[in-house]
Amino acid sequence: MIFTSDNAFGVSPEIFSAMERVNRGGVASYGDDDTTIGLSSLFADLFERDVAVFPVATGTAAKALSLATLTPPYGAVYCHENAHVNFDECGAPEFFSGGAKLLGVSGTAGKIDPDILSMRLKSARVSVHQVQPRCLSITQSTEAGGVYSLDELRRLTAIAKEFGLSVHMDGARFANALVALQCTPAEMTWKLGVDVLSFGATKNGAMGAEAVVFFDPAAAGDFAFRRKRAGHLFSKMRFHSAQLEAYLKDDLWLSNARHANEMASLLAGGLVAIEGISLSAPVAANEVFARLPVETFKRLMKSPARFYPWPNPADAAEGYRLQTIRLVTSFATSRADVDGFLALAAG
Amino acid sequence: MIFTSDNAFGVSPEIFSAMERVNRGGVASYGDDDTTIGLSSLFADLFERDVAVFPVATGTAAKALSLATLTPPYGAVYCHENAHVNFDECGAPEFFSGGAKLLGVSGTAGKIDPDILSMRLKSARVSVHQVQPRCLSITQSTEAGGVYSLDELRRLTAIAKEFGLSVHMDGARFANALVALQCTPAEMTWKLGVDVLSFGATKNGAMGAEAVVFFDPAAAGDFAFRRKRAGHLFSKMRFHSAQLEAYLKDDLWLSNARHANEMASLLAGGLVAIEGISLSAPVAANEVFARLPVETFKRLMKSPARFYPWPNPADAAEGYRLQTIRLVTSFATSRADVDGFLALAAG
Amino acid sequence: MIFTSDNAFGVSPEIFSAMERVNRGGVASYGDDDTTIGLSSLFADLFERDVAVFPVATGTAAKALSLATLTPPYGAVYCHENAHVNFDECGAPEFFSGGAKLLGVSGTAGKIDPDILSMRLKSARVSVHQVQPRCLSITQSTEAGGVYSLDELRRLTAIAKEFGLSVHMDGARFANALVALQCTPAEMTWKLGVDVLSFGATKNGAMGAEAVVFFDPAAAGDFAFRRKRAGHLFSKMRFHSAQLEAYLKDDLWLSNARHANEMASLLAGGLVAIEGISLSAPVAANEVFARLPVETFKRLMKSPARFYPWPNPADAAEGYRLQTIRLVTSFATSRADVDGFLALAAG
Amino acid sequence: MIFTSDNAFGVSPEIFSAMERVNRGGVASYGDDDTTIGLSSLFADLFERDVAVFPVATGTAAKALSLATLTPPYGAVYCHENAHVNFDECGAPEFFSGGAKLLGVSGTAGKIDPDILSMRLKSARVSVHQVQPRCLSITQSTEAGGVYSLDELRRLTAIAKEFGLSVHMDGARFANALVALQCTPAEMTWKLGVDVLSFGATKNGAMGAEAVVFFDPAAAGDFAFRRKRAGHLFSKMRFHSAQLEAYLKDDLWLSNARHANEMASLLAGGLVAIEGISLSAPVAANEVFARLPVETFKRLMKSPARFYPWPNPADAAEGYRLQTIRLVTSFATSRADVDGFLALAAG
């Protein structure tokens, strides 16, 4: 009963097998192998247009390299105040960009409030005294378990374009959002104005494989140099590329994400049926944020179930009578895990 | 017949199996799993002392993070002029350190000449106008296929200590050097004054696993923050740690390296027996630098064998009558590969 | 009638004369001259203890170098959300520190709210995923024209010490605060726990001279290297040091500041006596933030007087019926300037 | 008898007076004043074309900001191995550029050997594993007292353009070279292919004033942001601009440089007339590198004359029977200083 994070789980069998398949003989290293070269057409098909695609191994690298390519050292990246890039990467975007500034924008359910974003951008001025707005980073699905609708995304990207910002999408949980919205990858990205996507696979069944996708291949610019220089060009690249290939094959990525979302939905449904438990945010993808009576919380912490308490100002305001927790489901979460947790919660 | 690089090969079966074994259930992510935690005692046993050990996935990261921990932005790292850190990492050490300076020292067989090093350090002065000597980086085995003897290492580390420099060893091919010298890991490192080791496994049978080893655990300082911030902390760390565990188990790493060295030795022996072929450097580990008549070189380039021509000023000086090539053997190089190549070379 | 900024004015005659006096003959460059060497004892006397003092020429440099010395690349600097270091230096602290993070804390009159600071620090955790709290930067007097009382400062530094943060004081308008509080330099700094002070002179009569003061000389560490490397070590340093010497001599700095504060006080008193004009913040030093009826504002903008409109959410909330402006006085602001402006404002 | 450096001297009276003249009243700060705005047309006239010109206060800043604008973090700057940017700036170019690499090229009299440069560039390859050649930095006059002829410069810039490098000229002693060559500023710069010039005034009579000149104004790009962010935008900019204005007025800069060169020429002529003294390099501008019998050297070191011994491998090779010294003359060096030194040297 592990609900700490989707990255607490291992690797989908299909992905593991794919790595085994490429473990034969000698091939060109550093990405000049056929598997890696083949990713270009795979991702072009997926997104219905030519793209430049670069495999890396961690989400931190995918995001920080993307932002550093889009933002000069004196530039500003606007993102949600709780966005991973702002809060959970130990300053990686600042490091990779040479000191660019992340500016957090507030908003409910982890979603950037478009009015606040717009107001902030209006008040920015062209002046050497301030960092200059250059990029908007949107997390889909959000750090608070939310999923932006296409209309919500369109509103944000329109504001970005109005003020000359490029748009980055942090897609650490891209598949979970996609199956939630039931749209195509193209509809959720470049058709709305997304310029660069950090495409996550690790949380959804890969071992350590992400891809940075530039929808305008020419804009990739010096990405390859930045990747090497940051130690993220792998010599035995075939193993990373094979993960991505298997991830996309036969829609494994979508069925993995669909399963995770369904488990979250079941979990949420079961929890709210229990007296005294509520959700602090609606469940849109594979994360459940639930508020428990503090006694229930304490009991669960001593149980074999694993999960994280989550900071929630409302809990403090109400004297910690209730405690918010985060439960993350994955491709590997079983129905039995969910039922087991619900039984524990019900006491 | 792949002799381009030892990283052109895949993964040792034992290492692959180990990754499969840890692909079960949910465990703590980001290195809080038992496999990763167990590395401390494994490496302590290996090096006969307490160490701080940090797995990363590429040699570039291992080296650049090590050097950045040892060297402030205004510091200088002395290394061989052809050292990977100086010439083949796209400026990664400069990036990670915030702009420290790599100062190349010349010397034959890829080995730093101790007299030149000493002279260079003597002429450096404490002055805000110059970057300050802080670190010596020694590659063992060297980029030119050489292996420093323990006495040669001792001489270099003594100079480093005399001038207050910390000592980093780039051990991308650490195992190959170790079996060549027939000494213990401790004898080749901290007993001689090495402070930090980039311990390579990728070139010798792992998929993507290196370890940074601090012989004084207290000196690791902020390494963990630097690693995260650079995107080199893996969420599913167990898979990297399992590689390292299997690499060390039953001396797999040593038998892999021994095999690679033997293949290089056989290859070198066979080549020099062919009329007109000589070695440009003695063969000490798993790299052969051979000088071929240009006709032989051209013939081999058209053959199915794969290898790189290598820049050698002597070839230019003699009007390119001879061409130097580099042949790298690995744990996966077969006797048949060697014999096949020798047959092709003999014409 | 220039009220745009205190840096719109030139140089105090006494300071100019001092530069002329040192413009004789050849002396050692880069700060090895007697005038520069003499600064140590001057500042030691001023602060009643041994200090390490480094002249630089701009406030940006003074602050960014201070913060970079106190904060590692993965560290966080807490400051007021409107602090110059956070908002008006084009990301200089991020650049100099290698990408540290500035975390803005809110509070009225440009003063950090101690409760919010404390809460923020309590919620920070030791984790490689987040930047780590390392430094508190306090601006005295504040960017909103306020002056922290000694008790207010004491409360902030106590919180900093409780959480292990070093304390930086941005003293771009140090003298103005000092004369407002009528205390000694020691009482306003190290006796309260300030570790490093950016001591400003430029805004108060120098040409371009600031000093970074380390109250623990040993903590200056590598400051001298960082200063050189950033291009802030001046070859003809005597001219910068002479400015500082003259600035302190015969309390010129205090009389300059006292005059500026008095002019601000007069201006504020005159403004509030005019129907419809109020202050948006109490006047504590040499800045006046006044709210004018929009017609008055428009009339003044067309007049020969020079000043800046200032963003104030309250103005927006009330439909811009009122407009806030900032008026800064200096050592060179005359009584006639003040009277002239008041006459214009009165219409 | 100060011959340590041209920056050991103070400020030309004409330049000092100009600073006094602008010390009146309040003007716009941060370079929006008339004096600063006027620099554009002054430098356009000087160089016979539109330019973008940015005043800064130190040579370190001028050079490092120029190189950072021309070179990405993964780029390489080729320069003479003894160039100030490579050896005497404590790594400033690496800092400002985010870790670009300075690659030293050898050559006599401080001049880059064009054949070696060409060979080095030919051997560089487009590969993510290596930093990429982006810029050539030429010091005129050189750190060894030499002056490139126009033909020599043309040969270097032609090589740069052949390989796609931009060209930076470090003109810390630009005026001294110009009067030596008796050509126009345009002929020594953009007409030969120089893209960006660090125009030095400090060593030749200013207090602290340099200018960065972009011959293609559009190429200045983000220079203004980089300057601010590095703390090199001065609030009371008028004083820096006034220095530059006075420096150029009535050819003060040329007469200052002519005088310095003449003093160097006299000094050199007098020294070689003394038995046992020779020059280690021909005297082209305002620096004299002389080899003295060691007894003479020791005697002079104890005399009131001030100068620096200079490293010269030839001295070591000959057992330090001779010692090389550097003597720098300036606008303020008098005939009496020269005669006095010659008398001391003659013994």
Side-chain angles (χ1 to χ4, degrees):
Chain A
M1 282 184 290
I2 309 279
F3 297 98
T4 47
S5 178
D6 26 15
N7 60 32
F9 293 91
V11 181
S12 277
E14 297 87 342
I15 292 176
F16 218 100
S17 300
M19 289 195 291
E20 263 183 313
R21 263 196 307 279
V22 296
N23 190 21
R24 282 175 202 152
V27 302
S29 44
Y30 296 114
D32 293 332
D33 63 283
D34 292 342
T35 313
T36 305
I37 291 165
L39 291 179
S40 284
S41 62
L42 271 187
F43 276 81
D45 288 351
L46 187 66
F47 285 102
E48 306 170 41
R49 66 175 291 161
D50 272 359
V51 299
V53 56
F54 299 88
V56 295
T58 65
T60 311
K63 296 168 214 173
L65 284 166
S66 298
L67 295 178
T69 304
L70 295 173
T71 316
Y74 56 88
V77 177
Y78 289 74
C79 58
H80 192 274
E81 59 189 356
N82 296 332
H84 246 72
V85 290
N86 191 33
F87 188 70
D88 273 299
E89 304 292 6
C90 197
E94 287 90 342
F95 172 45
F96 281 72
S97 65
K101 213 172 176 84
L102 283 280
L103 295 177
V105 179
S106 55
T108 55
K111 296 182 189 175
I112 296 167
D113 184 309
D115 291 328
I116 299 177
L117 174 66
S118 187
M119 196 184 64
R120 293 276 292 276
L121 287 166
K122 257 176 211 141
S123 74
R125 55 195 181 101
V126 177
S127 155
V128 296
H129 297 276
Q130 279 99 38
V131 289
Q132 297 297 297
R134 283 291 183 272
C135 183
L136 172 68
S137 181
I138 303 170
T139 312
Q140 176 80 318
S141 48
T142 78
E143 283 82 1
V147 171
Y148 288 98
S149 71
L150 294 188
D151 277 346
E152 287 172 329
L153 288 175
R154 192 174 291 113
R155 179 132 183 243
L156 289 178
T157 57
I159 295 168
K161 297 304 170 189
E162 180 189 346
F163 290 94
L165 274 60
S166 60
V167 179
H168 167 251
M169 179 173 279
D170 176 352
R173 294 191 179 95
F174 186 80
N176 302 94
L178 200 70
V179 301
L181 291 184
Q182 302 191 40
C183 66
T184 68
E187 285 166 354
M188 201 165 85
T189 55
W190 64 269
K191 288 192 173 176
L192 296 175
V194 173
D195 297 299
V196 179
L197 169 68
S198 309
F199 179 86
T202 309
K203 286 182 195 292
N204 192 32
M207 179 185 287
E210 312 274 313
V212 176
V213 182
F214 287 82
F215 294 112
D216 173 7
D222 52 16
F223 189 91
F225 291 100
R226 291 184 181 271
R227 179 176 60 170
K228 169 64 192 177
R229 174 177 183 72
H232 288 287
L233 177 64
F234 290 80
S235 57
K236 298 185 177 175
M237 184 69 95
R238 57 172 133 169
F239 294 101
H240 295 83
S241 304
Q243 292 179 56
L244 291 169
E245 192 184 69
Y247 183 68
L248 295 177
K249 201 179 171 201
D250 299 332
D251 287 343
L252 173 64
W253 67 307
L254 299 180
S255 46
N256 273 2
R258 203 169 288 123
H259 175 81
N261 287 10
E262 282 168 9
M263 291 303 106
S265 182
L266 274 175
L267 193 56
L271 285 169
V272 296
I274 299 171
E275 170 86 26
I277 299 186
S278 61
L279 300 181
S280 72
V283 172
N286 66 322
E287 296 183 282
V288 177
F289 292 82
R291 300 185 77 194
L292 316 177
V294 71
E295 305 75 32
T296 313
F297 167 68
K298 286 183 179 166
R299 183 158 39 78
L300 285 167
M301 285 295 278
K302 289 181 197 143
S303 80
R306 293 286 166 269
F307 58 90
Y308 289 121
W310 213 250
N312 183 348
D315 295 344
E318 299 170 20
Y320 289 108
R321 198 177 45 75
L322 297 176
Q323 170 67 47
T324 301
I325 65 171
R326 185 184 77 159
L327 302 165
V328 191
T329 56
S330 85
F331 74 99
T333 304
S334 70
R335 180 76 196 238
D337 289 336
V338 171
D339 290 342
F341 188 84
L342 291 174
L344 285 171
Chain B
M1 283 186 290
I2 308 279
F3 297 98
T4 47
S5 178
D6 25 16
N7 60 31
F9 292 91
V11 181
S12 276
E14 296 87 342
I15 292 176
F16 218 100
S17 300
M19 289 194 292
E20 263 183 313
R21 264 196 307 278
V22 295
N23 189 22
R24 283 176 202 150
V27 302
S29 44
Y30 295 115
D32 293 332
D33 62 285
D34 292 342
T35 314
T36 304
I37 291 165
L39 290 179
S40 284
S41 62
L42 272 187
F43 275 81
D45 288 350
L46 187 66
F47 284 103
E48 306 170 41
R49 67 175 292 162
D50 273 359
V51 299
V53 56
F54 299 88
V56 295
T58 65
T60 310
K63 296 169 215 174
L65 284 166
S66 298
L67 295 178
T69 304
L70 296 172
T71 317
Y74 55 88
V77 176
Y78 289 74
C79 59
H80 192 274
E81 58 189 358
N82 297 332
H84 246 71
V85 289
N86 191 33
F87 188 70
D88 273 297
E89 304 292 7
C90 198
E94 287 90 343
F95 172 44
F96 281 72
S97 65
K101 214 172 175 84
L102 283 281
L103 295 176
V105 180
S106 55
T108 54
K111 296 182 189 173
I112 295 167
D113 184 309
D115 292 327
I116 299 177
L117 174 65
S118 187
M119 198 183 64
R120 292 277 291 276
L121 286 167
K122 257 176 212 143
S123 73
R125 55 198 180 99
V126 177
S127 155
V128 295
H129 298 277
Q130 278 99 39
V131 289
Q132 297 297 297
R134 282 293 181 271
C135 183
L136 172 67
S137 181
I138 304 171
T139 313
Q140 175 78 322
S141 48
T142 77
E143 284 82 1
V147 171
Y148 288 97
S149 71
L150 295 187
D151 277 347
E152 287 172 330
L153 288 175
R154 192 174 292 115
R155 178 130 185 242
L156 290 178
T157 56
I159 294 168
K161 298 303 170 190
E162 181 189 347
F163 290 94
L165 275 60
S166 60
V167 179
H168 167 252
M169 180 174 278
D170 175 353
R173 294 191 179 96
F174 186 80
N176 302 94
L178 200 70
V179 300
L181 291 184
Q182 303 192 38
C183 66
T184 69
E187 285 165 355
M188 201 165 84
T189 56
W190 65 269
K191 289 193 173 175
L192 296 175
V194 173
D195 298 298
V196 179
L197 168 68
S198 310
F199 178 86
T202 309
K203 287 182 195 292
N204 192 32
M207 180 185 285
E210 313 274 311
V212 176
V213 181
F214 286 82
F215 294 111
D216 173 6
D222 52 16
F223 189 92
F225 292 100
R226 291 185 180 271
R227 179 176 61 171
K228 170 63 193 178
R229 175 177 181 72
H232 288 287
L233 177 64
F234 290 81
S235 56
K236 299 185 177 175
M237 185 68 95
R238 57 173 132 171
F239 294 101
H240 294 83
S241 304
Q243 292 179 55
L244 291 168
E245 191 184 71
Y247 183 67
L248 295 177
K249 201 180 171 199
D250 300 331
D251 287 343
L252 173 65
W253 66 308
L254 298 180
S255 47
N256 273 3
R258 203 169 288 122
H259 175 80
N261 286 10
E262 282 168 9
M263 292 302 106
S265 181
L266 274 175
L267 192 57
L271 285 170
V272 295
I274 299 170
E275 171 84 26
I277 299 185
S278 61
L279 300 181
S280 71
V283 172
N286 67 323
E287 296 184 283
V288 176
F289 292 82
R291 300 184 76 196
L292 315 176
V294 70
E295 306 76 32
T296 311
F297 167 68
K298 287 182 178 168
R299 185 159 38 78
L300 285 168
M301 286 294 279
K302 288 180 197 145
S303 80
R306 292 286 166 269
F307 58 90
Y308 289 121
W310 213 250
N312 183 347
D315 295 344
E318 298 170 20
Y320 288 108
R321 198 177 44 77
L322 297 176
Q323 170 67 47
T324 300
I325 65 171
R326 185 184 79 159
L327 303 164
V328 190
T329 56
S330 85
F331 73 99
T333 304
S334 70
R335 180 76 195 237
D337 288 336
V338 171
D339 290 342
F341 188 84
L342 291 173
L344 284 171
Chain C
M1 284 184 291
I2 308 279
F3 298 98
T4 48
S5 179
D6 26 14
N7 59 32
F9 293 91
V11 181
S12 276
E14 297 87 342
I15 292 176
F16 218 100
S17 300
M19 288 195 291
E20 262 183 314
R21 264 197 306 279
V22 295
N23 189 22
R24 282 176 202 150
V27 302
S29 43
Y30 296 114
D32 293 332
D33 63 285
D34 292 341
T35 313
T36 304
I37 290 165
L39 291 179
S40 283
S41 62
L42 272 187
F43 276 80
D45 289 350
L46 187 66
F47 285 102
E48 307 170 39
R49 66 175 292 161
D50 273 358
V51 299
V53 56
F54 299 88
V56 295
T58 65
T60 311
K63 296 168 214 174
L65 284 165
S66 298
L67 295 178
T69 304
L70 296 173
T71 317
Y74 55 88
V77 177
Y78 289 74
C79 59
H80 192 274
E81 58 189 356
N82 297 332
H84 246 71
V85 289
N86 191 33
F87 187 70
D88 273 299
E89 303 293 5
C90 197
E94 288 89 342
F95 172 44
F96 280 71
S97 64
K101 213 171 177 87
L102 283 281
L103 295 176
V105 179
S106 56
T108 55
K111 296 182 189 174
I112 296 168
D113 184 308
D115 292 328
I116 298 177
L117 174 65
S118 187
M119 195 183 67
R120 292 276 291 276
L121 287 166
K122 257 175 211 142
S123 74
R125 55 196 180 100
V126 177
S127 155
V128 296
H129 297 277
Q130 278 100 39
V131 290
Q132 297 297 297
R134 284 291 183 271
C135 183
L136 172 67
S137 181
I138 303 171
T139 312
Q140 176 78 321
S141 47
T142 78
E143 283 82 1
V147 172
Y148 289 97
S149 71
L150 294 188
D151 277 345
E152 287 172 329
L153 289 175
R154 192 174 292 114
R155 177 130 185 243
L156 290 178
T157 57
I159 295 169
K161 298 303 170 190
E162 180 189 346
F163 290 95
L165 275 59
S166 59
V167 179
H168 167 252
M169 180 174 279
D170 176 353
R173 294 189 179 97
F174 186 81
N176 303 93
L178 200 69
V179 301
L181 292 184
Q182 302 191 41
C183 66
T184 69
E187 285 166 354
M188 201 165 85
T189 56
W190 64 269
K191 288 192 173 177
L192 296 175
V194 173
D195 297 298
V196 178
L197 168 69
S198 309
F199 179 87
T202 309
K203 288 183 195 291
N204 192 32
M207 179 185 285
E210 312 274 312
V212 176
V213 181
F214 287 82
F215 295 111
D216 173 5
D222 52 16
F223 189 91
F225 291 101
R226 291 184 180 273
R227 179 176 61 170
K228 170 64 193 177
R229 173 178 183 72
H232 288 287
L233 178 64
F234 291 80
S235 56
K236 299 184 177 176
M237 184 68 95
R238 57 172 131 170
F239 294 102
H240 294 84
S241 304
Q243 292 180 55
L244 291 168
E245 192 184 69
Y247 183 68
L248 295 177
K249 201 178 172 201
D250 300 332
D251 287 343
L252 172 64
W253 67 307
L254 299 179
S255 47
N256 273 1
R258 204 169 287 123
H259 175 81
N261 287 10
E262 282 168 8
M263 291 302 106
S265 183
L266 274 176
L267 193 56
L271 285 170
V272 296
I274 299 171
E275 170 85 25
I277 299 185
S278 61
L279 299 182
S280 71
V283 172
N286 66 323
E287 296 183 282
V288 176
F289 292 82
R291 299 185 77 195
L292 316 177
V294 70
E295 305 75 32
T296 312
F297 167 68
K298 286 183 179 166
R299 183 159 39 78
L300 285 167
M301 284 296 278
K302 289 182 196 143
S303 80
R306 292 286 166 268
F307 58 89
Y308 289 120
W310 212 250
N312 183 347
D315 295 343
E318 299 170 20
Y320 289 109
R321 197 176 46 76
L322 297 175
Q323 169 68 46
T324 301
I325 65 171
R326 185 184 77 158
L327 302 164
V328 191
T329 56
S330 85
F331 73 99
T333 303
S334 69
R335 180 75 195 238
D337 289 336
V338 171
D339 290 342
F341 188 84
L342 291 174
L344 284 172
Chain D
M1 283 186 291
I2 308 279
F3 298 99
T4 47
S5 179
D6 24 16
N7 59 32
F9 293 91
V11 181
S12 277
E14 296 88 340
I15 292 176
F16 217 101
S17 301
M19 289 195 291
E20 264 183 312
R21 263 195 309 278
V22 295
N23 189 22
R24 283 175 200 150
V27 301
S29 43
Y30 295 114
D32 293 333
D33 62 284
D34 292 342
T35 315
T36 304
I37 290 165
L39 290 179
S40 282
S41 62
L42 272 188
F43 275 81
D45 288 351
L46 187 67
F47 284 102
E48 307 171 41
R49 67 174 292 161
D50 273 359
V51 299
V53 56
F54 299 89
V56 295
T58 65
T60 311
K63 295 169 215 174
L65 283 167
S66 298
L67 294 178
T69 303
L70 296 172
T71 317
Y74 55 88
V77 176
Y78 288 74
C79 59
H80 192 274
E81 58 189 357
N82 297 332
H84 246 72
V85 288
N86 191 33
F87 188 69
D88 273 298
E89 303 292 7
C90 197
E94 287 89 343
F95 172 44
F96 281 71
S97 65
K101 213 172 176 85
L102 283 281
L103 295 176
V105 179
S106 56
T108 55
K111 296 182 189 174
I112 295 168
D113 185 308
D115 291 328
I116 298 177
L117 174 65
S118 186
M119 197 184 65
R120 293 277 291 275
L121 286 167
K122 257 176 210 142
S123 74
R125 56 197 180 99
V126 177
S127 155
V128 295
H129 298 276
Q130 278 99 39
V131 291
Q132 298 296 297
R134 283 291 182 271
C135 183
L136 172 68
S137 181
I138 303 171
T139 313
Q140 175 78 322
S141 46
T142 78
E143 283 82 2
V147 171
Y148 288 97
S149 71
L150 294 187
D151 277 347
E152 287 172 330
L153 289 175
R154 192 173 291 114
R155 178 130 183 244
L156 289 178
T157 58
I159 295 169
K161 298 303 170 191
E162 181 189 346
F163 289 95
L165 274 61
S166 59
V167 179
H168 166 252
M169 179 174 278
D170 176 353
R173 294 191 179 95
F174 186 80
N176 303 93
L178 199 70
V179 300
L181 292 185
Q182 303 191 40
C183 66
T184 69
E187 285 166 356
M188 202 165 84
T189 56
W190 64 269
K191 288 192 173 175
L192 296 175
V194 173
D195 298 298
V196 179
L197 168 69
S198 311
F199 179 87
T202 309
K203 287 182 195 291
N204 192 33
M207 179 184 286
E210 313 273 312
V212 176
V213 182
F214 285 83
F215 295 111
D216 173 6
D222 52 16
F223 188 91
F225 292 100
R226 291 184 180 272
R227 179 176 61 170
K228 170 63 192 176
R229 175 177 182 72
H232 288 287
L233 177 65
F234 290 81
S235 57
K236 299 185 177 174
M237 185 69 94
R238 56 173 132 170
F239 295 101
H240 295 83
S241 304
Q243 291 180 56
L244 291 168
E245 192 184 70
Y247 183 67
L248 295 177
K249 200 180 174 201
D250 300 332
D251 287 344
L252 172 65
W253 66 307
L254 299 180
S255 47
N256 272 2
R258 203 170 286 121
H259 175 80
N261 287 10
E262 281 169 10
M263 290 302 106
S265 181
L266 274 175
L267 192 58
L271 285 170
V272 295
I274 299 170
E275 171 84 25
I277 298 185
S278 61
L279 300 181
S280 72
V283 172
N286 66 321
E287 296 183 283
V288 176
F289 292 82
R291 300 185 76 194
L292 315 176
V294 71
E295 306 76 32
T296 312
F297 166 69
K298 287 182 178 167
R299 183 158 39 78
L300 285 167
M301 286 294 279
K302 289 181 198 145
S303 80
R306 291 288 167 266
F307 58 90
Y308 288 121
W310 213 250
N312 183 347
D315 295 345
E318 298 170 20
Y320 288 108
R321 199 176 44 78
L322 297 175
Q323 170 67 46
T324 301
I325 65 170
R326 185 184 77 158
L327 303 165
V328 191
T329 55
S330 85
F331 74 99
T333 304
S334 70
R335 180 74 195 238
D337 289 336
V338 171
D339 290 343
F341 188 83
L342 290 174
L344 284 171

